[in-house]
Amino acid sequence: MLVTLAATATPGTLDDATDLGFLLHKHPDRAQVFDLPVGRAHVFYPEATAARCEVALLLEVDPVGIVRNKRFGGGDAFALAQYVNDRPYAASSMVAVALGKVFATAMAGRCDARPELPDVELPLDVHVPSLPCRGGPDLARRLFEPLGWHVTATAEPLDPAVPAWGASRYVDLRLRGTRRLADALAQLYVLLPVLDDAKHYWVSTDEVDKLVRAGGGWLADHPERARILRRYLAHQRRYVEDATARLAALDGAAPADVAEPDGEVSPDGATSPGADVPEPPLARQRADAVLGVLHEVGARTVVDLGCGEGMLLRRLAADRTFTRVLGTDVSARELERAAARLRLHEASDAERERVRLLQSSLTYTDDRLTGFDAAVLMEVVEHVDPSRLDALAHAVLGHARPRTVVVTTPNAEYNVHYPNLLDGPGGSRVRHPDHRFEWTRAELRAWAGDAAERYGYAVEHRDVGPLAPDVGAPTQLVVLTLVPEGAVVHDAPTAAGADTREGEEAR
C-alpha cells in the first residue's frame, strides 16, 4: 500500500518545501520504519528540494499476523480469503490506521519546532495509486470535491490485456488543493476507509471518538455526511446514531438520517431498516429560516457577516432575488474556502461583481459594510468574546445600520438533549470548542432588547428546529428591524412556538 503527499514552495505560503518535514516530524534525510498492529510502515522522501518535497508512506502488511490478531482477524467470508486478498496491495482502511499512528502529531496540528507552520495552507498533491472504491470515481469526487480538492480519479481496468472485462473496483486517486496539512491528513484518515467500505477491524465506540475528532471541523456540513458515517462505522446503526448526535451537538446541526440510501446495502448484503422521511438537518432549517426572513422583508442586498466557508453564501448566490451579496470573515483562509465553494474563479465578471468576499472584523466599524438592506449573523455571535459584544452591536447596528439584521445562535437550554457536549467557559457545556458562550432564551432577549433600544431597532424572536417542552428549540433566531426616525419602538410579537412565559421565568 502506497500513499504519497507532496508540497510545493509558493510565495506567501511555503518558502521552503522541505518545511514539510517539520510538520510531519519526519526528517527528509532519513528513512524511518514503524511497527504497527497491521504490519510495518515505511516513511521516506522520494524528493526533498526547496521547490518541492514529497513524502511517501509505504505500508507493508503482514496477512498472517493480521489473521492471528484477535482484533483484526476473522472478518472475511471464508478462511482462504483471510490469507489471499488485496490487503498488501490496495490502500484500504489499514492505511488510515498507519496515517493516524505515524503522523499523529501532524494530524493534531502541532509543530513545536515551527509553531507557525500548522496554520499555513500548503499547495498539496496527494496520490493514492491503488484505492478500493465501492462507488467508483464518481463517489471519490463527491467525497473530496466539497472539501475544496481538485480530484482526478481514474478507474483501473480489471485486466489491461482484456479491455472487454471493464473496470475494476480500484481507483487511481489524485488530490490537489491548498489547505492545512492537519486538515488534509484528517480527511484522508476518514475518507479512505469510507471509499473502501470494508473495515478490516472490529468497530467500537472508540471509532466514534476518532471520527468526531478527525471530522469535527468539516464533516457536519459535508453533503455526503450520512454516507460517510455509515461506511466509516461499518454500517453499525447504534454507532452511526451516536456519531450523528455528537456531530450535531458540536456543529449545531440536526442528526442526519442514518438509513441506507436507495440502492446501497451493507457489505454483507443486508439492507438497513427503512425509516420515515426525516426532517431536514438543522443547518438547512436554519438557513431556510434566514432566507425566509430576507424574502419577507424584501431585501435585495445582503451582507453575510462571519460567513466562514460560505454555507449560507452559496444559497444567497444561487437566489437571483439578491442583486448584491457580500460575505465577510476575519479569516483569510475561510474566505479562500468560501471562494472555492462558490466557484468564483469560474464565474463571469458580472457574477463576481454581484457576489463578493471581504476580510473584515465584526467588532470594528467598516464603511464598506454600510448601505445594505440586510445583514446576517448566522451562528456567529457565540464565537465573540463577551467583552466584545458591545463593540459588535455598535459596528453592526450603530455604524453599518442595515434595515434588517438577522441573528441566529444556539439555545443553551436545549443542550440537555445533547449528552456528549464539550466543556466550555465557566464549567458550561457548549456545542463547539470555539464557542465563548451559549445563551439561554432569556439571555438572548436581554442582549437583543438592550442593543435594539440603544440603536433604534424593533425586535422579533423566532424558533428554528423541533420544539421541546420546557427548553424550546435548538436554535434561536432574532430579527432586528430599523425603526424610522421619530417612530415609537416596540418589540414585534413573538413568533408562534416561542414560549415568552418560560423566557420571563428564566430571567
Side-chain angles (χ1 to χ4, degrees), residues 3 27 85 173 239 270 273 288 403 443 462 470 483 488 491:
V3 176
H27 199 288
N85 51 57
L173 178 68
Y239 297 136
D288 289 345
R403 288 192 291 108
E443 288 168 336
R462 303 186 184 186
D470 303 323
V483 177
V488 179
D491 280 3

Side-chain angles (χ1 to χ4, degrees), residues 22 25 41 58 95 104 162 218 345:
F22 285 104
H25 296 259
L58 177 65
V95 168
V162 189
W218 55 271
H345 63 287

Side-chain angles (χ1 to χ4, degrees), residues 317-330:
D319 190 334
R320 308 307 295 186
T321 301
F322 305 114
T323 59
R324 182 184 174 203
V325 176
L326 177 65
T328 77
D329 203 279
V330 72

